[in-house]
Amino acid sequence: PMYLSDDPPTLGAIAELFPMLGIGGYYSGPRFCKARQSTAVIIPYRDREVHLRHWLHYTLGTLVKQQLEFTVFVVEQEGIDVFNKGQLMNTAFLWAQRQTRVKFQCFIFHDVDMIPEIVGNFYTCADGKAVKHLSPYIDKFNYTTNKKIGVTVGGAVAFTEWQYRAVNGYSNVYWGWGGEDDDMNLRIKLTGLRRIRPDSNYGRYKMIPHEHDGGNPMNKQRHKLLKEAKMRMARDGLGDLATQIVAVSLHPTHTHILVRLNVPHLPWL
Ligand code: BGC
C-alpha cells in the first residue's frame, strides 16, 4: 500500500522535480527513440489542489518511466455551480485533439484522486475495439473488483480518438457525483466496443481519502437518467456539447483549461 503525506510538494517544487517536461507539461518522450503513441491525460478538476499535487508528484514520474510522449490536461469548471465531469472531459478532448502542437492518439480520462501504484500499468491505448479501463483494483476496496466497480469504467479509462468519437464522448447530462461512468459503460457496449483491463498485479490504484465534496453532491437522478441512456446517446455528448473555454494556461507540469458551462435549472438540486 501507498502512504501519502498531508502536505505534498507545491506545484513549483514538483516542476523542479521534472525538468524534462516542456511548456504546458509536454513530454516529447525518451531522447533516443520515438514513443509509439502520444497520450493526453485529461483530469476533470475543481478545488482539489492537494489532490492534484499528490497526483502530479507521483504520476508524472510514472509516465516518464513508461517512455511515453504525453501531456496532462487539467480541466477546471469555472464558478461554484454543481460539477459536471462529462462536459469537462468532452471539452478537454476536443481542445486537445484540435490543437496542432501534438497529435494525440490516446486519451485517458482520469480522476484526480486516483494514483496508479504500479509503474508497469501502461498509459497507452489498445487498438481496435478495446477500450482500456486502467483502474479496476483500488486500495479502498482491498484491491478486489467489487460489484459496483465491476460494472463501470470509473477512475481511469483510455480511448483512442476513434473510440471516443464512436461513443459520442461522455454524456453531458450528469450533474453532481455519479452516473457518468455507468453511462459510458453502456455507450461502450451499445457501440460494439469491448472493455479490457490490466490484471490485478498491474491495475492497482490508491484512492486519496477525502470528505464528500460540497460542490459535487450525489446525483440522485442518475439511475433514472441511465434508463434513457440508450435513447440519448446519439445526440447527447460530443455532438451537442455547448461549453466555452475561458482560458488555457501552460504550466511547467500540465496544461490548464478553464471552462464555463451552461448550467440549466436543475429541479432536484
Ligand atoms: C455510481 C458510479 C460509481 C459507482 C461505483 C455508482 O452508483 O453511479 O458513478 O462509479 O457507483 O462507486
Side-chain angles (χ1 to χ4, degrees):
M2 187 175 192
Y3 296 98
L4 300 174
S5 78
D6 291 335
D7 190 23
T10 61
L11 290 174
I14 297 168
E16 281 176 29
L17 293 172
F18 298 100
M20 65 294 263
L21 303 186
I23 185 164
Y26 172 63
Y27 183 60
S28 56
R31 228 173 124 190
F32 298 110
C33 55
K34 171 95 182 110
R36 268 179 251 169
Q37 291 180 14
S38 185
T39 298
V41 181
I42 293 173
I43 304 180
Y45 175 86
R46 189 171 62 188
D47 199 19
R48 296 273 191 102
E49 201 203 287
V50 171
H51 292 184
L52 181 62
R53 279 153 55 197
H54 275 307
W55 195 92
L56 292 167
H57 181 210
Y58 282 97
T59 316
L60 289 174
T62 297
L63 299 176
V64 170
K65 284 179 199 145
Q66 292 186 356
Q67 307 200 323
L68 308 175
E69 181 183 351
F70 71 87
T71 299
V72 174
F73 293 89
V74 174
V75 54
E76 176 171 3
Q77 180 172 331
E78 189 194 53
I80 55 164
D81 298 303
V82 185
F83 201 56
N84 189 316
K85 255 170 97 175
Q87 293 196 20
L88 295 174
M89 295 189 280
N90 287 339
T91 307
F93 166 82
L94 290 175
W95 193 85
Q97 190 270 319
R98 241 184 345 233
Q99 57 78 43
T100 50
R101 219 154 55 104
V102 184
K103 171 80 186 142
F104 294 104
Q105 281 94 28
C106 181
F107 298 83
I108 300 187
F109 299 92
H110 212 300
D111 286 353
V112 71
D113 58 0
M114 293 280 280
I115 299 185
E117 294 185 9
I118 308 294
V119 173
N121 187 20
F122 277 93
Y123 275 52
T124 50
C125 279
D127 286 335
K129 297 195 166 182
V131 173
K132 188 154 105 187
H133 182 214
L134 289 159
S135 60
Y137 302 99
I138 303 172
D139 63 341
K140 185 177 167 184
F141 305 111
N142 291 318
Y143 303 103
T144 56
T145 39
N146 76 354
K147 251 190 165 169
K148 272 187 163 179
I149 297 293
V151 297
T152 72
V153 286
V157 57
F159 293 85
T160 62
E161 183 189 341
W162 173 80
Q163 291 166 353
Y164 197 66
R165 287 194 180 278
V167 297
N168 195 17
Y170 277 90
S171 165
N172 297 319
V173 306
Y174 293 84
W175 296 86
W177 183 90
E180 83 293 334
D181 52 347
D182 306 310
D183 188 290
M184 175 54 83
N185 199 49
L186 283 171
R187 288 176 179 232
I188 291 169
K189 279 188 198 145
L190 292 166
T191 310
L193 304 182
R194 289 186 296 123
R195 192 182 58 191
I196 57 169
R197 290 180 164 139
D199 74 30
S200 58
N201 294 314
Y202 287 90
R204 296 166 77 86
Y205 280 72
K206 162 116 195 133
M207 189 187 276
I208 307 177
H210 59 90
E211 304 287 310
H212 214 88
D213 194 331
N216 195 20
M218 183 190 277
N219 180 354
K220 298 206 172 98
Q221 297 293 308
R222 70 187 189 284
H223 302 296
K224 206 172 134 203
L225 288 169
L226 272 172
K227 291 204 178 106
E228 288 142 27
K230 183 176 180 180
M231 241 171 53
R232 259 196 329 264
M233 175 176 166
R235 86 190 130 77
D236 163 29
L238 285 175
D240 71 347
L241 183 69
T243 54
Q244 202 184 325
I245 293 180
V246 178
V248 176
S249 34
L250 304 174
H251 296 259
T253 46
H254 62 281
T255 294
H256 179 262
I257 306 175
L258 186 62
V259 180
R260 185 170 301 158
L261 307 185
N262 202 344
V263 185
H265 172 65
L266 301 167
W268 61 83
L269 288 168

